[in-house]
Every structure is written in structure tokens, then in C-alpha cells.
Amino acid sequence: MAIRRANDIDAIRRRRLGWFCWCCVLSLKFHGSKEFITLRSLQFRTRPGANRPRCLLERRQKSLGSLPSVSVQIVTYNRTCLVLEALQQIEAQDYAGEIEVLVLDDSPHSSLRAVEGFANTSRHRVVYHFLEKRLTIGAKRNLAVSLSLADLVCTWDDDDIYTEDRVRLQVEFLLEHPRCKCAMMERRYFFWSSYGVLRSCRDELQLFPLENTLCFWRSWFQARSFDAGNLNEGLGLLRGAQGVKHPGRLGILSIPAEDLPFVYVKHEGSMTGSQILPQPAEDPVNVRQQGVGLGGWPLLPLARAFLMDRFPALPASSWCAKGLGTVRKLLCEEIKQDIKQLRALSDRAQVASYIRQLGMESAPRFTTEGLLGWIDAMQQKLRMGFVDEKERLNSAWSCASAMAQIAKEWMGQPLCVCA
């Protein structure tokens, strides 16, 4: 756990530059079985395994495959509860490499005790910076990057809900595409928590860097910065000495929502406001008016992520857990309406396409009514959630097999799943 207080950005940067000079005045103290290093008001918990023999550390490093270190950064103001829930989401990430969690807070009052209580049991290194001077969101993001030594930086908003594999998939994307220097996520699924509304919307700003979805190489960021504002600060990444450039030319690529979905939450405290967007042309309601086969099912990738258990299991009383529960129920209602429309069309090809979009490569060899029963069974599974936290649907195939068994019991159809 690391704490820093500063009156302005320059003061923090001076401390940052003098980091190695301060190391000579470090003093050691022991607290229980954990080792701490203290520098005046700064406190750092050493990484797990720091007191092990060097050969074991080298062996551990080799076993990790030299994965790049990631600094997951949260900039916040006056909402301690959301910060703690964001920390819980980060704790659930399945990335095998080293993760540093950096929280930059310029609230009227420090959240040190709350964050410190979480950090004491976290498997990641949590660094909390409390600023006495109010800064813009863009200025805080720039400062957060300058305070990190990690290979990669992952921006994380405390009021959005991400899947457990977000960090891993973004890092894999960067490693698999050397031309890509900054991987962002498509912002498609909007949830208005105050109104209980869920929609799939094509974001007009999707071509631009969405600051709450980025994962980039820190070395790439040295030549650029976020805009020093409170809205759309990611546009600053496109500006340079020769003007504004297209994101693709700068190595900024987007991961489709089908592969890496997340829930963008709109509430009263959102910088972009909580007003519900106009009904988009691809919204499920309008799609049904046009015919299911003509418009597609824009919310199915999100439903598939829920069925694959990709979102974290959070405490039931938490704000994010309640939001996920509401989103889950709304998805169930959408699927129920889709079943009615598919039954009215009585087109097996449409039903089979629907099943494939739910995450199965090929539809079971059922009649049309049997397939509809299979979809209904999936909807019931989605509504109930997973009773056992250890229950994991490791693949779409295992999910299909389980649902085919339920469909057999309900519809009396033969249990046969295509390979």
C-alpha cells in the first residue's frame, strides 16, 4: 500500500523523479508475517515472494512467460464505494502477469483507510495517491501514467462493469498485433441505472479513443497526452505536432464488443449525464417491428458473456452486483420476447442462427419447437445465474450440452448435439 500527498502536479513529479534517491533512507519494520517498507508517510507492501530464494523468483518469472506488467489506473472523485467495487473487479481479473492498481483521488476527504483495508488482503500491489488540489480528469490521467513504471497502462472507470478477462484479452491483443500500440474496447452496451434501461447503441465516438477502455504501452504514451478536460479527454491522444491523425495511423485499434463486451453505466454522477439516448434504429424493439431476421439481435453478445460467466461475482449488496442483476433480468426479458417472435416466424434457420449467436457453433438437431425450448432453457439459466460459484462454463460446447439436456427434459426431443 503506497500513499502520497501533494499540493500540485509538479510536487508529485519531483517526488517521482527523486524516487531512487529516497531509497537510501528507507527503514524496515515488520507487521505480523508481512514485510513493510516505510518512507515517512509512504508505505509499501513488498510483493508476494520477495523473501524467497532468488532461484525460486527466477523460476516463477520464467513460468509467467515474461508477461508485461500492467498498471490498472482509476481516477476518481468523491465516491469511495465505487472505488472499492472497482478494486473488487480488478481483483477478479484472470491475467497471470504482474498487476499494479493505481488510484488517484482528489476528493475533499481521503479514502485512505478504506483502500488500505482492501489492499491488505489484495493479491495485487495497490497504490493510492491523494491530491489536495482539484484536477481535471484528463490531468489526473496524465499524472497517473507518469507515476507508473509498468509496461502497460490500463484505464479503468470505477462506475463501469467489465468482464474478468478484460486485462488478459487486451494484453493478448497487443502482443498478437505488434502494429497496435493502444487497444480500446467498443462501447456498445449502455445501462441507465436510474431508469432500469438497457440498450445496444452504436457509439458515434467509437472511432476515437474511449478513455475508459484503453490499454496501451507506456512507452508509446510518452510522446502524447490526454486532453486536460473532463470530457472526451482521450481525443488528446490523436493530436501531435502535425495536427490530428486517424487512430489507425497511430496504432489505436478497437476490439469488437462481440469479443470483449462491457456494461457502460449511466447514472446521476456520470460526466456524460444520465439522460437516456434516443431509441436507436437497431434497438430490439424496432428490430422486432422490422422482423427478427432483418435486424439481428444486438444484445446477444452481452447475453452470451453472462452465460459464459465472464462477469465477476461481486458481493450481493454492492452497487455493481445490483446493476449486473438488473441487466441479467432485462436480458432475460429480451430473450423471452425474441422467443415469441421466433415462434411466430416458425423459421428453423432463424432459430438456429439465434442459438449460434448465443455462443454455440452449431445448433442441436431439434425441431423448431425443440430449439425454441433450448433457447428458453438458456433464458432460465441466465435468470437463475450460477448457484455454485465454482461452476464454470468453460466453453460454448459445455453450455450447449447442459442446455440440450434441459431441452430434452422439457420438450422430449432427442439429446443429440452436432459436432
Side-chain angles (χ1 to χ4, degrees):
M1 184 67 191
I3 311 301
R4 289 189 180 181
R5 299 175 61 91
N7 294 326
D8 50 37
I9 298 178
D10 293 334
I12 290 184
R13 285 174 176 166
R14 286 196 297 270
R15 294 187 182 185
R16 171 68 179 80
L17 293 174
W19 171 263
F20 295 102
C21 297
W22 282 105
C23 290
C24 62
V25 295
L26 293 178
S27 60
L28 296 178
K29 70 177 182 178
F30 294 87
H31 179 71
S33 60
K34 297 181 181 179
E35 183 180 0
F36 289 78
I37 301 177
T38 305
L39 169 58
R40 295 186 178 179
S41 63
L42 313 185
Q43 189 178 58
F44 303 86
R45 183 161 62 89
T46 56
R47 291 179 297 175
N51 56 347
R52 298 179 183 175
R54 183 173 181 179
C55 59
L56 294 181
L57 290 178
E58 293 176 352
R59 190 182 309 169
R60 179 175 179 271
Q61 184 177 5
K62 292 180 180 179
S63 66
L64 293 178
S66 299
L67 291 173
S69 57
V70 181
S71 175
V72 181
Q73 303 186 344
I74 305 172
V75 296
T76 187
Y77 175 78
N78 210 25
R79 43 192 193 188
T80 304
C81 293
L82 291 183
V83 171
L84 294 177
E85 295 190 22
L87 291 174
Q88 291 172 346
Q89 290 191 59
I90 298 171
E91 189 72 14
Q93 291 294 301
D94 61 3
Y95 181 60
E98 179 183 353
I99 291 181
E100 168 201 68
V101 186
L102 191 150
V103 182
L104 206 61
D105 184 8
D106 59 348
S107 304
H109 305 286
S110 172
S111 300
L112 167 61
R113 290 187 178 181
V115 176
E116 186 178 28
F118 180 90
N120 288 336
T121 59
S122 175
R123 60 192 178 96
H124 305 309
R125 178 172 178 263
V126 180
V127 184
Y128 178 81
H129 298 273
F130 178 69
L131 307 178
E132 296 181 348
K133 180 180 178 181
R134 186 83 166 95
L135 301 178
T136 63
I137 296 178
K140 285 190 288 187
R141 293 194 190 277
N142 290 328
L143 178 58
V145 177
S146 69
L147 292 172
S148 174
L149 291 176
D151 300 318
L152 293 167
V153 172
C154 180
T155 58
W156 194 288
D157 276 10
D158 55 13
D159 56 353
D160 293 328
I161 307 174
Y162 304 93
T163 57
E164 295 179 352
D165 52 9
R166 177 198 163 173
V167 174
R168 175 174 58 83
L169 292 182
Q170 286 191 286
V171 173
E172 289 178 357
F173 188 86
L174 288 168
L175 295 178
E176 293 172 2
H177 302 82
R179 177 176 168 270
C180 180
K181 306 301 180 183
C182 176
M184 64 180 181
M185 303 160 60
E186 180 184 359
R187 184 170 57 186
R188 185 186 299 182
Y189 305 111
F190 293 75
F191 172 58
W192 286 265
S193 59
S194 302
Y195 304 96
V197 174
L198 174 68
R199 285 183 182 167
S200 172
C201 306
R202 292 292 181 181
D203 196 343
E204 296 180 354
L205 297 176
Q206 186 56 53
L207 286 177
F208 304 108
L210 303 174
E211 49 279 344
N212 60 325
T213 71
L214 304 179
C215 183
F216 53 84
W217 294 101
R218 189 174 58 86
S219 58
W220 170 83
F221 184 82
Q222 302 303 319
R224 47 192 51 84
S225 64
F226 290 100
D227 276 347
N230 287 319
L231 194 63
N232 297 327
E233 59 272 16
L235 296 178
L237 301 178
L238 305 180
R239 296 189 175 94
Q242 299 179 352
V244 179
K245 291 186 178 181
H246 188 277
R249 295 185 61 186
L250 296 173
I252 304 174
L253 303 179
S254 178
I255 303 176
E258 288 82 3
D259 299 326
L260 188 54
F262 78 102
V263 180
Y264 184 78
V265 183
K266 304 272 282 185
H267 55 92
E268 290 81 358
S270 300
M271 290 301 301
T272 54
S274 60
Q275 183 179 2
I276 298 181
L277 297 178
Q279 191 89 326
E282 66 171 6
D283 186 87
V285 175
N286 289 337
V287 167
R288 294 193 192 97
Q289 294 174 358
Q290 301 169 6
V292 177
L294 298 177
W297 304 277
L299 288 172
L300 281 189
L302 184 61
R304 180 171 64 244
F306 273 93
L307 287 167
M308 300 297 293
D309 198 21
R310 292 177 62 185
F311 284 96
L314 301 173
S317 60
S318 66
W319 182 81
C320 289
K322 293 178 181 178
L324 284 175
T326 303
V327 170
R328 185 190 296 271
K329 292 178 181 178
L330 292 172
L331 288 173
C332 289
E333 293 302 318
E334 294 294 338
I335 293 177
K336 286 177 64 177
Q337 295 298 321
D338 289 340
I339 291 175
K340 292 181 180 179
Q341 292 293 322
L342 291 169
R343 180 170 281 114
L345 289 175
S346 189
D347 186 338
R348 191 183 187 283
Q350 291 282 359
V351 180
S353 175
Y354 192 96
I355 289 178
R356 284 193 297 270
Q357 292 191 46
L358 268 179
M360 187 174 178
E361 294 183 359
S362 57
R365 294 171 184 168
F366 296 161
T367 62
T368 301
E369 193 63 28
L371 292 176
L372 290 171
W374 191 91
I375 296 173
D376 191 52
M378 292 280 269
Q379 184 265 139
Q380 293 295 330
K381 185 72 172 179
L382 178 61
R383 180 178 296 278
M384 292 183 298
F386 302 103
V387 178
D388 183 3
E389 293 184 1
K390 295 183 179 180
E391 180 184 1
R392 295 282 178 173
L393 300 178
N394 295 322
S395 65
W397 178 255
S398 62
C399 179
S401 300
M403 293 302 100
Q405 179 63 40
I406 298 177
K408 175 188 176 184
E409 297 173 358
W410 284 15
M411 309 302 302
Q413 301 295 333
L415 178 60
C416 182
V417 182
C418 299

